[in-house]
Amino acid sequence: MKWYLLWVLSLWSVALIDLSRSEDVFEELIAEEIFPSYLDEEAVSPGANSLMVPLTLIPGAVSKGAVCLDGTPPGYHFHRGFGSGANSWVIHLEGGGWCNTIRSCVFRKTTRRGSSKFMEKQLNFTGILSNKPEENPGFYNWNRVRVRYCDGASFAGEGYDEANQLYFRGQRIWSAAMEELMSKGMRNANQALLSGCSAGGLASILHCDEFKGLFPGTTKAKCLSDAGLFLDATNVAGGHTLRDMFEGVVTLQGVQKNLPSSCTSQKDPTLCFFPQNLVSNIKTPMFLLNAAYDAWQVDQSLIPSIADPHGLWHDCKVDRLRCNTSQIKFFQDFRNQMLSAVEVFSQSNQNGLFINSCFAHCQSELQPTWYENDSPRVGNKAVAVAITDWFFDRTAVKAIDCPYPCDKTCHDLVLK
């Protein structure tokens, strides 16, 4: 059964900022991804048997300069593994957009995406973080960690804006978090998976080889990027919404110094923040989980309101059955661009793919899209089963769906 959630940007942001003020303000809101997300913890009502895991602030992080945008210490949520999973680890990097201007970063540091002062004191662990075998067959008894995201540059920035007291310390947060978890027992891991969703999915790509390098060669270490395959695509007005925004993130937050030199020696640093220019050169085994018509990219990168001032795409965004032939072709062209971006990546036997033809965003964190009777499938294989089969080398997984509208198992998002 399909489930839906309305993203109502205007209602969410009305108390924050007047969207009618200027186009640059709207672009900042895009960067922050502050619209309601079905991944947000408050959007999920914990059940009576939910696993609620407390927040831990990283001790000593502040003295290392590993701080959130506002200078507060970063944090994580950690649930110990047990039994056969006692020495296996899942590290999940939280997502939540980016900030690309001083103004948007100043705003962001007043939220949980920029300050640990505003983070939830406990989070519900579901999907890939669940501790129930019927919900998470591959990783339920592993050590499971969710690293909170409070830097606004996919754990990759390095800099400081003194005038506005903004700390761009994503790379240091990553390092401090890994050091902390190694001290908690991860150094003894025989198996480890770095995962992430959205901006966290991009971070898992950026840090994948670093993660593998933490362990001896005998440790099976792999990476999973969920909804992190952001494309340098053209929007409906012919512009490059995401490229323009990523340029601000990379420049403002000093990200370029932490990007792979194999890419920056050949391309502009902004282009090296796009996974399509990175994934083929990652040495560590990686799995890309992505909706072919990623709902966030459709709404915020391909068809942002600023690129559709007359609302010609509104009906199509709300209901794909109301899209005309040329609009459907636009979506299919985006899917083709995604498949082209992973063509070389997919040729490696060590890598895995699950690209379903859904209008979704992040499918590993919540139970309905991770592993339930009606969860999304490609070739009759659910997301959790595909990733588990790949991690344990049971079979090669290169699951690519047929084009929309063939997939009847999607849990699509409806945008308003």
Side-chain angles (χ1 to χ4, degrees):
M1 182 179 67
K2 294 189 176 184
W3 55 288
Y4 302 90
L5 184 84
L6 300 181
W7 282 345
V8 191
L9 178 59
S10 59
L11 293 178
W12 180 259
S13 59
V14 66
L16 303 175
I17 196 162
D18 181 1
L19 286 179
S20 65
R21 269 197 254 164
S22 67
E23 294 182 0
D24 66 307
V25 169
F26 183 79
E27 289 170 356
E28 291 169 13
L29 290 175
I30 290 176
E32 292 181 72
E33 198 183 64
I34 64 169
F35 57 90
S37 166
Y38 75 107
L39 297 167
D40 281 352
E41 292 75 27
E42 63 266 29
V44 184
S45 300
N49 298 318
S50 296
L51 174 63
M52 303 301 293
V53 181
L55 172 68
T56 299
L57 299 181
I58 300 176
V62 174
S63 64
K64 299 172 185 175
V67 293
C68 300
L69 283 169
D70 70 336
T72 55
Y76 64 96
H77 302 254
F78 173 31
H79 192 256
R80 282 273 179 198
F82 56 93
S84 62
N87 287 321
S88 299
W89 292 71
V90 172
I91 309 301
H92 187 76
L93 303 179
E94 186 177 60
W98 308 269
C99 62
N100 65 330
T101 65
I102 291 295
R103 188 184 338 191
S104 62
C105 290
V106 166
F107 168 77
R108 190 180 178 95
K109 74 175 185 176
T110 66
T111 75
R112 61 191 172 129
R113 302 299 191 205
S115 171
S116 57
K117 291 189 298 185
F118 304 105
M119 291 178 183
E120 301 87 344
K121 301 309 178 188
Q122 56 180 4
L123 287 183
N124 185 12
F125 271 24
T126 63
I128 195 172
L129 297 177
S130 170
N131 66 334
K132 301 177 178 64
E134 66 273 19
E135 295 180 351
N136 187 22
F139 312 107
Y140 73 95
N141 64 346
W142 287 28
N143 296 279
R144 286 151 292 107
V145 181
R146 178 164 174 150
V147 181
R148 299 305 296 266
Y149 178 40
C150 64
D151 65 275
S154 288
F155 296 88
E158 177 56 52
Y160 175 63
D161 182 85
E162 185 175 3
N164 298 281
Q165 295 186 325
L166 287 168
Y167 296 85
F168 304 127
R169 300 290 173 76
Q171 182 69 33
R172 297 195 202 188
I173 292 173
W174 156 263
S175 298
M178 293 305 104
E179 183 178 340
E180 165 78 355
L181 297 173
M182 292 295 273
S183 74
K184 295 294 184 180
M186 193 170 73
R187 69 175 74 254
N188 301 316
N190 51 40
Q191 302 178 113
L193 176 64
L194 175 67
S195 74
C197 155
S198 194
L202 171 54
S204 70
I205 293 172
L206 292 171
H207 293 292
C208 184
D209 284 340
E210 287 180 71
F211 182 70
K212 171 67 173 176
L214 295 173
F215 305 101
T218 53
T219 301
K220 181 194 286 282
K222 299 187 177 184
C223 305
L224 162 65
S225 173
D226 179 7
L229 191 57
F230 297 98
L231 298 181
D232 184 19
T234 304
N235 65 33
V236 294
H240 289 84
T241 310
L242 203 51
R243 186 194 299 177
D244 294 342
M245 193 265 287
F246 274 3
E247 181 179 14
V249 176
V250 170
T251 303
L252 177 66
Q253 298 214 35
V255 173
Q256 61 270 20
K257 65 192 72 172
N258 294 317
L259 295 171
S261 59
S262 59
C263 181
T264 55
S265 63
Q266 303 177 51
K267 300 178 184 294
D268 181 273
T270 297
L271 298 181
C272 295
F273 202 56
F274 281 98
Q276 67 199 77
N277 297 318
L278 301 173
V279 292
S280 297
N281 293 318
I282 292 174
K283 299 178 177 63
T284 306
M286 171 166 280
F287 195 103
L288 296 178
L289 164 63
N290 233 92
Y293 314 96
D294 183 275
W296 187 90
Q297 293 186 69
V298 167
D299 189 52
Q300 299 290 290
S301 174
L302 301 182
I303 321 173
S305 296
I306 200 69
D308 184 34
H310 303 295
L312 300 179
W313 277 83
H314 178 267
D315 290 349
C316 178
K317 283 174 65 173
V318 171
D319 181 1
R320 259 78 65 186
L321 295 178
R322 299 168 73 178
C323 296
N324 60 38
T325 302
S326 65
Q327 289 171 327
I328 291 296
K329 182 180 183 302
F330 180 81
F331 289 138
Q332 303 300 15
D333 288 344
F334 178 74
R335 172 182 177 272
N336 290 337
Q337 184 178 344
M338 183 175 293
L339 296 185
S340 177
V342 300
E343 184 175 358
V344 174
F345 170 89
S346 67
Q347 292 172 6
S348 171
N349 292 331
Q350 71 176 6
N351 295 331
L353 284 173
F354 190 102
I355 298 181
N356 52 348
S357 290
C358 303
F359 288 78
H361 183 69
C362 287
Q363 300 177 83
S364 66
E365 291 187 347
L366 290 187
Q367 213 52 55
T369 47
W370 176 245
Y371 190 66
E372 283 191 348
N373 290 335
D374 66 341
S375 60
R377 281 165 165 74
V378 174
N380 203 35
K381 185 172 287 192
V383 173
V385 175
I387 291 171
T388 302
D389 282 351
W390 164 79
F391 185 89
F392 292 106
D393 302 312
R394 293 170 184 161
T395 183
V397 180
K398 304 292 171 65
I400 298 178
D401 220 348
C402 49
Y404 171 85
C406 71
D407 194 333
K408 307 305 179 186
T409 70
C410 292
H411 290 212
D412 286 336
L413 297 173
V414 175
L415 310 174
K416 289 292 186 181

